[in-house]
Amino acid sequence: MGRLSKGNKILILSAGAVLLSCCGAAGAVFSVIGPCSENPVFELEFPAAGAGDTAGQISERIFKENGLPYEGGAGGFTSILGSPSGLAAVEVVSAKKTRFYGWCFSSDGVLPEVTPDAFYPDATTARLTWFYAFSTYENGNWTDSCVPSYTVKAAQFCGPEAGAWTINWKSARTRSGSGYAALESAAARSVSFFTGRQP
């Protein structure tokens, strides 16, 4: 599937996420995956690592350069594209089960065991992904961590009552260079790159 990014045509192949650009320079793909679909709502190619920047520094720079709203910094983000944070990012499933939502990141489908300001992608990194996720607190225990939120599609983020965030999300998508409808259409036709792995 071909995608345009910063004027360069790149080809992303699902087997291994091999990248080819028109200029022959190797790069990596930066993606943001929202709450309701496994398909990226924002994606572009960035230069291959090697300058010593952390995942957090790379992410913050990309957000700034592309006008994507965010809260937080290189150490972690509490909101990307207007996502809820604090109490608005809590889903009470039952009296004994609650999900807490926020942003996680992965490198080539693997969750690093450090914060983004302590993770240094190297020249072999093909994909850096931020995805909206949850951790579950049930019966007094944390049962999971960084589970992509699209796996449950919570009504407060994906249903008709999603409210202001849905509007902000659509607006941010439009500002990122592609119209909301075009992104949704493209996402519907895409396939997952990391079947059985984190985004």
Side-chain angles (χ1 to χ4, degrees):
M1 161 177 44
R3 297 182 188 209
L4 293 178
S5 172
K6 292 272 188 190
N8 291 332
K9 188 171 184 180
I10 60 173
L11 178 63
I12 303 174
L13 302 176
S14 59
V18 177
L19 306 174
L20 303 173
S21 74
C22 69
C23 304
V29 174
F30 180 89
S31 300
V32 176
I33 297 176
C36 306
S37 171
E38 66 188 276
N39 301 300
V41 294
F42 177 83
E43 188 169 76
L44 61 74
E45 183 177 328
F46 68 97
D53 289 340
T54 66
Q57 291 168 321
I58 291 167
S59 301
E60 190 168 17
R61 184 172 56 247
I62 288 173
F63 294 152
K64 285 180 181 176
E65 290 174 355
N66 291 278
L68 301 180
Y70 69 93
E71 294 174 13
F77 300 96
T78 56
S79 179
I80 300 173
L81 294 172
S83 66
S85 59
L87 291 177
V90 176
E91 176 193 15
V92 178
V93 180
S94 70
K96 296 184 177 183
K97 181 176 181 179
T98 305
R99 293 188 185 115
F100 295 84
Y101 290 81
W103 289 94
C104 294
F105 78 104
S106 66
S107 175
D108 292 333
V110 177
L111 295 172
E113 294 183 10
V114 296
T115 57
D117 59 344
F119 181 77
Y120 292 84
D122 61 28
T124 65
T125 301
R127 180 173 290 269
L128 183 61
T129 303
W130 283 93
F131 60 101
Y132 205 60
F134 63 85
S135 295
T136 306
Y137 189 73
E138 186 171 11
N139 294 320
N141 296 302
W142 291 100
T143 61
D144 52 34
S145 180
C146 281
V147 178
S149 63
Y150 60 76
T151 61
V152 296
K153 297 181 182 170
Q156 70 193 68
F157 308 123
C158 305
E161 62 272 17
W165 187 33
T166 302
I167 295 167
N168 291 339
W169 193 262
K170 291 177 184 178
S171 175
R173 289 177 177 177
T174 302
R175 285 196 306 273
S176 72
S178 298
Y180 173 73
L183 281 168
E184 285 295 303
S185 176
R189 294 189 305 269
S190 298
V191 296
S192 173
F193 291 108
F194 299 108
T195 306
R197 302 169 71 191
Q198 296 294 339

